[in-house]
Amino acid sequence: MMRIKFFFFCLVCSTGVFAQVAKPLQFSEEIFDFGSIKEQAGPVTHEFTFLNNSSRHVKIVGVQASCGCTTPAWSKEPVAPGKKGFIQASYNPVGRPGYFNKSLTVTTDLDSNPIILQIKGQVAVEGEKENVQFQAANGSWKLKSGSFNLGKVFIKDEFTVRDFQVLNEGSKPVTFSGKYVGPAYIKIDVQPKTLAPGEKGNIKVSYNGKMKAKYGFQSDNVELYTDDELNATKSFSVYATLEDEFPQLTAEELAKAPQLRVQASTLDFGRLRPNVPSVREIQFYNTGKKELDIKSLQGNCTCVTASAEKTSIKPGESSLIKISLNPQDRKGSLQKSLTIYSNDPQNPVQRITFSGYVE
């Protein structure tokens, strides 16, 4: 009996030791939450450290960020066994109000399995603070901005709601009639309906991403009808960035999910001629365990168009994205990007940036 107990004791101990060295690169954490950060304060940075538990030197081959807003850095020299290395992530919150969740795909020369790190947080918008002046005039109304920027809106079958403060700086009451003109996926309400001179109110903007059914940055317009003598019909732009929302997955579920990997995050078009489109191809892969769907490809200007050879690829397969860049009448250096939207729950939004020189 004593021998049996000793055997199980050794088995438990050896299993515990194995669990500790199961990961060749052991990170101190793989997800970091910045919490609430200020948009006007500029970029924030976090450093992920890791211990090399393997028996050989390990080199970080590359780190690909899921968005151009995230800048990576990493240990350039091979990390010796038992030594530590780092992956650094800098996030720029300027012009990106609201919640963010970005990822870094780390590739090493140890094996072909990438390591996924995540940063997240909430960008606090300066315009949401009481001490920011109402500086955008629309008749007697004054707002903190002349447009409604909702930030990130998920493509789901319910309305995302944002509130925008309004001040009646006129000498007479202004009443919102309750009527407005705009797309069906945007709803507007103003409370109170009548604003007395010097009174503050609230404009509630509701946006249904599923009804809009498009990905990426979107711009719309709404017109509100009031009895304001200075400007009765008030026109506003409505901005939103549409993405899919994914539930929180367990480690086991993530291991079985689709995974998008792009051949490169940058592309050089070289020298270009004005008004002559230039075409490049870039390969992408599904390194996950389920079918990968490319939901949308969106350039950041009309000069960029793109199409995927296949929009659905099985695990282990690859396909091509054809990117066309038309310099139009531009001259000199050109910096553009293409955003890829997919059903990869860890990296649903990935960006390829490319450059060229127009002669």
Side-chain angles (χ1 to χ4, degrees), residues 67-80:
C67 164
C69 56
T70 306
T71 305
W74 61 90
S75 303
K76 300 299 182 182
E77 298 299 322
V79 180

Side-chain angles (χ1 to χ4, degrees), residues 75-107:
S75 303
K76 300 299 182 182
E77 298 299 322
V79 180
K83 298 296 182 180
K84 290 185 176 182
F86 71 89
I87 306 293
Q88 193 179 82
S90 294
Y91 179 76
N92 188 354
V94 178
R96 299 179 175 91
Y99 176 76
F100 67 90
N101 188 331
K102 305 299 178 183
S103 66
L104 300 167
T105 302
V106 182
T107 307

Side-chain angles (χ1 to χ4, degrees), residues 148 183 185-186 207 212 218-222 236-240:
F148 303 133
Y185 47 85
I186 296 177
Y207 195 111
K212 175 69 173 180
Q218 304 296 328
S219 175
D220 292 284
N221 191 77
V222 292
F236 296 95
S237 294
V238 179
Y239 303 123

Side-chain angles (χ1 to χ4, degrees), residues 137-198:
N138 195 319
S140 298
W141 279 6
K142 268 204 167 183
L143 297 93
K144 296 170 183 177
S145 172
S147 60
F148 303 133
N149 190 341
L150 281 75
K152 182 185 290 186
V153 172
F154 291 120
I155 300 176
K156 56 184 180 180
D157 195 15
E158 59 184 69
F159 281 88
T160 296
V161 181
R162 299 281 190 273
D163 292 325
F164 300 88
Q165 276 196 311
V166 58
L167 168 69
N168 179 7
E169 213 176 49
S171 58
K172 296 181 179 180
V174 175
T175 299
F176 170 56
S177 68
K179 296 181 180 179
Y180 60 90
V181 173
Y185 47 85
I186 296 177
K187 293 182 178 179
I188 303 290
D189 189 27
V190 181
Q191 291 295 332
K193 290 286 192 293
T194 299
L195 285 177

Side-chain angles (χ1 to χ4, degrees), residues 44-65:
V44 290
T45 301
H46 177 70
E47 190 169 281
F48 295 90
T49 59
F50 65 87
L51 177 67
N52 181 4
N53 284 324
S54 73
S55 58
R56 69 172 182 85
H57 284 69
V58 175
K59 182 176 177 60
I60 304 297
V61 178
V63 180
Q64 181 177 327

